[in-house]
């Protein structure tokens, strides 16, 4: 996803001299080509995230279109007041790029685990919140955020995520990507869990269970139509997110179901209300929280058969 990000932002920067990339001392081994090509459209403010966002807001007031890059925990929490007051309150065209899903920096501990970034971003007025599931979603959503200026947060993963959206179907901000049809259960995922959900769908197919798979690449604005359709057309919804179970995608989906008065069994697979303990790989933590293909399929099967 990082490669899709830098390739897309480079294309936009070549076309529009107001596009600029601003970072908090990150992006090494990723940004070198961009820096060489667009030295006047790149700024490294150092490890100073509050200054980073304040500077980006100033650039936006001058007519620039800044894309601001840092680790997800650092870009979403350290400068939260600046994001709220400098960017969202003034409705400025600043796109925040948070790199790393919850367990991307697995051995760095909870300081690097964005357990709550999607939750705290989606409560901000004017803020759009995206969490792409594959490189194509990164590219298409970035283009749309550029074309429709305003505050935005995008969380991207960084470990060579596979391409899932292989058809020519349009990926649109605010509309979930329908990866596969199904009328038994619906599995909705956000971010880099999408390949695991697709693999789980295959396990379920072998068990005779037809799973609808939706990629919730946009958390805000939320695709209410797809959620209501899933609630009315399938027997259960499984929500998969590499995020706290509080306030993220599952919470947003529950709000929609209450709003429209639809009710079916919903199960959330994510991080419970805790700081994860222990040290291990990303796969280790995903297995702990049943976010592997096997864990997702097991949960979906149990809910469907209950």
């Amino acid at each position: 996803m990082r490669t899709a990000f830098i390739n897309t932002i480079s294309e936009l920067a070549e076309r529009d001299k107001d596009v600029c990339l601003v970072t908090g001392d990150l992006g090494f081994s990723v940004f070198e080509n961009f820096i060489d090509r667009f030295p006047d459209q790149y700024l490294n403010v150092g490890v100073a995230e509050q200054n980073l966002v304040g500077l980006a807001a100033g650039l936006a007031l001058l007519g620039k279109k800044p894309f601001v890059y840092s680790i997800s925990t650092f870009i979403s929490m350290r400068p939260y007041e600046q994001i709220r007051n400098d960017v969202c309150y003034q409705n400025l065209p600043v796109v925040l790029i948070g790199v790393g899903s919850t367990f991307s920096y697995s051995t760095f501990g909870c300081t690097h685990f964005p357990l709550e970034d999607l939750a705290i971003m989606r409560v901000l007025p004017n803020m759009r919140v995206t969490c792409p599931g594959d490189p194509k979603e990164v590219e298409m959503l970035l283009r749309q955020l550029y074309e429709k200026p305003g505050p935005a947060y995008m969380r991207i993963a960084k470990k060579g995520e596979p391409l899932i959206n292989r058809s020519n179907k349009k990926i649109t901000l605010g509309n979930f990507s329908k990866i596969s049809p199904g009328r038994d259960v619906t599995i909705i995922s956000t971010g880099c869990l999408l390949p695991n959900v697709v693999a789980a769908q295959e396990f379920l197919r072998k068990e005779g269970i037809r799973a609808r798979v939706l990629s919730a690449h946009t958390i805000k604005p939320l695709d209410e139509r797809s959620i209501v359709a899933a609630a009315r057309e399938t027997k259960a919804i499984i929500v998969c997110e590499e995020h706290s179970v509080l306030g993220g995608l599952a919470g947003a989906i529950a709000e929609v179901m209450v709003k429209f008065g639809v009710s079916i069994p919903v199960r959330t697979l994510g991080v419970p209300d805790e700081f994860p303990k222990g040290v291990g790989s990303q796969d280790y933590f995903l297995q702990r929280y049943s976010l592997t293909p096997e864990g997702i399929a097991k949960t979906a099967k149990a809910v469907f058969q209950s």
Side-chain angles (χ1 to χ4, degrees), residues 114-135:
L115 300 167
E116 58 282 278
D117 60 328
L118 303 178
I120 64 175
M121 286 295 135
R122 79 179 186 92
V123 301
L124 291 171
N126 296 325
M127 178 65 83
R128 295 162 295 172
V129 182
T130 64
C131 190
D134 75 352

Side-chain angles (χ1 to χ4, degrees), residues 22-39:
V22 191
T23 182
D25 210 32
L26 288 163
F28 303 106
S29 78
V30 179
F31 291 170
E32 282 77 5
N33 183 258
F34 184 96
I35 297 168
D36 290 341
R37 292 177 62 192
F38 313 107

Side-chain angles (χ1 to χ4, degrees), residues 48-122:
E49 288 80 4
Q50 292 172 335
N51 288 339
L52 176 66
V53 173
L55 182 144
L59 289 171
L61 287 170
L62 292 173
K64 301 298 182 181
K65 302 168 186 175
F67 289 76
V68 186
Y69 181 99
S70 186
I71 292 173
S72 300
T73 46
F74 303 160
I75 195 62
S76 63
M77 285 183 275
R78 288 180 178 174
Y80 194 70
E81 184 176 1
Q82 284 72 26
I83 296 169
R84 180 185 186 273
N85 296 339
D86 295 351
V87 176
C88 290
Y89 184 52
Q90 301 184 86
N91 201 22
L92 296 178
V94 175
V95 179
L96 306 172
I97 305 296
V99 62
S101 59
T102 296
F103 300 121
S104 291
Y105 297 95
S106 57
T107 58
F108 286 61
C110 288
T111 58
H112 285 61
F113 291 175
L115 300 167
E116 58 282 278
D117 60 328
L118 303 178
I120 64 175
M121 286 295 135
R122 79 179 186 92

Side-chain angles (χ1 to χ4, degrees), residues 128 130 141 144-145 148 171-175 217-218 220-221:
R128 295 162 295 172
T130 64
L141 294 174
Q144 291 168 59
L145 292 174
K148 300 176 181 178
I171 294 168
T172 306
L173 185 74
N175 293 330
H217 52 65
T218 307
K220 183 185 178 184

Side-chain angles (χ1 to χ4, degrees), residues 1 100-103 114-115 117-119 122 129-134 137-138 141 153-157 161 164-165 175-177 179 187-198 213-223 237-245 247-253 268-271 282 286 291 296:
M1 289 192 198
S101 59
T102 296
F103 300 121
L115 300 167
D117 60 328
L118 303 178
R122 79 179 186 92
V129 182
T130 64
C131 190
D134 75 352
E137 290 183 353
V138 172
L141 294 174
Y153 176 76
M154 175 182 285
R155 184 214 272 190
I156 61 173
E161 294 73 27
I164 302 297
N165 287 278
N175 293 330
F176 294 169
S177 297
I179 306 301
I187 308 177
I188 306 176
S189 76
T190 192
C192 62
L193 291 175
L194 185 57
N196 287 5
V197 169
V198 171
V213 174
L214 302 176
S215 174
H217 52 65
T218 307
I219 310 296
K220 183 185 178 184
L222 198 62
D223 187 353
I237 294 176
I238 313 300
V239 183
C240 302
E241 54 186 325
E242 203 174 333
H243 185 274
S244 171
V245 297
L249 176 62
I253 289 172
T268 305
L269 293 176
V271 182
Q282 184 173 24
L286 294 182
L291 290 167
I296 296 166

